[in-house]
Amino acid sequence: YQRRVHGIIATYLMSYMEGYAAFFAIWVINGFFALGMAWVCVVAVATNWIPLSRMGRLMGIVSMAPQLGDVLARLVLSLFMESSWRTVFRIAATIAIGLNLPILLFVKDRPEEHEETNTTTRTPEEKKPFSERLITLLTTPVLWIVCTLSGTLYSIRTLFLLYSVAYLQLRYCVGSPVLDECLNSDESAAAAAQASALYTILGCFSVVIVGELKDRAPKRYRGAVLLLFIVPLMLCLGLFWLFSQHMAYGLSAVMVGAIGFFLFGPYKLLGGALAVDIGGKHLKATACSLMGVFDNSFAVLVLTLKGYVGRNWDLMFFMLFCFSFLALFSATFVLIWDIRNVPLRRALSMAKPPSMAKIVQPTAPTLPTVKSADADSSDESDEEYPALVKKDTSSALQRRASLKHFTHIQ
């Protein structure tokens, strides 16, 4: 909660700053607390309350919080576009205070007693020293591939969050006799901000769908869930690259929404559920923080490239298309890694040596009890495996007959 408070204070201070240096300092502070540390804390606390069997779908719901906040910010704050930008910042910080009060009053770090959550289960791997588990985590190739995948998706998300409004505003004003006035008008800015909310709204549905698919699919196919959304994401970015300057305003808004639908689900799955899968109970925050480092590093890279690209939208979408291709490669690696390693780990965990007691002290064979026709039909074992019971009974009778015949010959 303290990290959120620092972000709110920084937002308030932003509305009083003057000069580039002051803006830059407050923006760095806001990014450090609100962006860098807040989500790691959310993952660490939320996963203490969520059973592992429902990690994907429930973390999907938790992950919708930033998307819902973005939608509300665009819809609510667009009503104050005619006011000064300082007023918009103060209104945003005030709303954030009201939203964070329930967290301060009612949310605890972990449940006190709850047998179904993952806080009470400790695997042999989790009993190892922290340094040993950390080395094991850092030497896992799939961790770095997932971090790369998370960084590429986050870079795409960053550019669309920051520049989708400017792009939609340009498409809104295309054909206007006074293009410059239209681009600088409050009407076009409000219309583009409201249309860009489709990007986040569809992203919320994507998060829920991907979380549900992750929980239902076997663990070895979690990469397939990612590919199911990343492939159409790459196709949409390819269409933007080829036709961004020829799309009508309505089609552009729909395409921006499609990008949000195919992007947000996979990205939120990585930082939420997959961070827990890779890091486990005690290293989930570490795995999530490493993904955050890659996210922000890729964001810095893509924003730097955007500075060189400028207003060349075709080149910007080509750059994002290349990032999506890297994401496709990373998701394919995750799928291949899981198919090759998950069954092997399960087989090794299930392969237990036979007990010596069973070898040294063999027990005499016993005849299974054969149910009569009028026996109680509620016996689940005979109903579930009738062929097995009959086969065992027949074999036992044959062995007994053979034993009698052998005794008679002697």
Side-chain angles (χ1 to χ4, degrees), residues 88-325:
V88 173
F89 268 79
R90 292 164 190 167
I91 293 174
T94 303
I95 294 175
I97 292 176
L99 294 175
N100 279 273
L101 281 178
I103 300 176
L104 175 65
L105 298 176
F106 304 111
V107 176
K108 298 180 181 180
D109 288 345
R110 60 183 59 84
E112 297 178 355
E113 293 182 359
H114 204 299
E115 295 180 356
E116 295 182 359
T117 58
N118 57 359
T119 58
T120 59
T121 58
R122 287 191 72 191
T123 63
E125 181 69 20
E126 293 171 340
K127 296 179 181 179
K128 296 180 180 180
F130 175 80
S131 58
E132 183 178 348
R133 286 185 281 112
L134 180 60
I135 293 174
T136 302
L137 175 67
L138 297 179
T139 54
T140 303
V142 72
L143 168 67
W144 303 109
I145 295 297
V146 169
C147 288
T148 302
L149 174 58
S150 181
T152 54
L153 295 179
Y154 185 79
S155 62
I156 299 172
R157 174 180 177 269
T158 299
L159 277 193
F160 267 87
L161 281 176
L162 295 178
Y163 295 102
S164 62
V165 174
Y167 172 73
L168 290 176
Q169 190 175 11
L170 176 63
R171 304 315 304 166
Y172 180 86
C173 294
V174 166
S176 174
V178 282
L179 181 61
D180 292 337
E181 291 185 11
C182 180
L183 291 175
N184 295 319
S185 66
D186 295 333
E187 177 186 354
S188 64
Q194 293 173 358
S196 66
L198 185 64
Y199 169 78
T200 307
I201 293 173
L202 294 180
C204 293
F205 289 100
S206 169
V207 170
V208 175
I209 294 173
V210 170
E212 186 72 21
L213 290 176
K214 190 267 178 185
D215 286 341
R216 291 182 177 272
K219 186 177 180 180
R220 64 183 304 197
Y221 295 121
R222 58 187 177 182
V225 176
L226 297 173
L227 288 173
L228 185 63
F229 284 76
I230 292 177
V231 170
L233 171 65
M234 186 176 67
L235 294 177
C236 289
L237 288 173
L239 292 176
F240 264 122
W241 168 37
L242 297 174
F243 306 107
S244 64
Q245 299 300 320
H246 307 285
M247 289 185 183
Y249 170 72
L251 180 59
S252 299
V254 172
M255 288 294 294
V256 169
I259 293 293
F261 179 79
F262 294 121
L263 173 64
F264 275 76
Y267 169 70
K268 289 299 182 180
L269 178 65
L270 297 174
L274 258 65
V276 179
D277 288 347
I278 296 174
K281 173 185 173 183
H282 297 288
L283 292 177
K284 58 190 178 184
T286 302
C288 183
S289 63
L290 288 174
M291 294 180 192
V293 171
F294 272 69
D295 291 349
N296 293 318
S297 300
F298 271 83
V300 171
L301 174 62
V302 77
L303 289 175
T304 303
L305 294 176
K306 178 63 174 68
Y308 288 106
V309 168
R311 294 184 176 273
N312 190 334
W313 296 102
D314 290 338
L315 191 55
M316 188 195 81
F317 286 124
F318 172 72
M319 178 177 62
L320 295 181
F321 176 79
C322 294
F323 274 88
S324 68
F325 182 80

Side-chain angles (χ1 to χ4, degrees), residues 145 149 223-224 226-227 230 326-336:
I145 295 297
L149 174 58
L226 297 173
L227 288 173
I230 292 177
L326 180 58
L328 178 66
F329 172 80
S330 302
T332 304
F333 181 92
V334 173
L335 176 61
I336 296 174

Side-chain angles (χ1 to χ4, degrees), residues 61-74:
I61 296 175
V62 173
S63 299
M64 283 197 306
Q67 280 72 39
L68 292 176
D70 181 69
V71 170
L72 292 176
R74 292 172 185 267

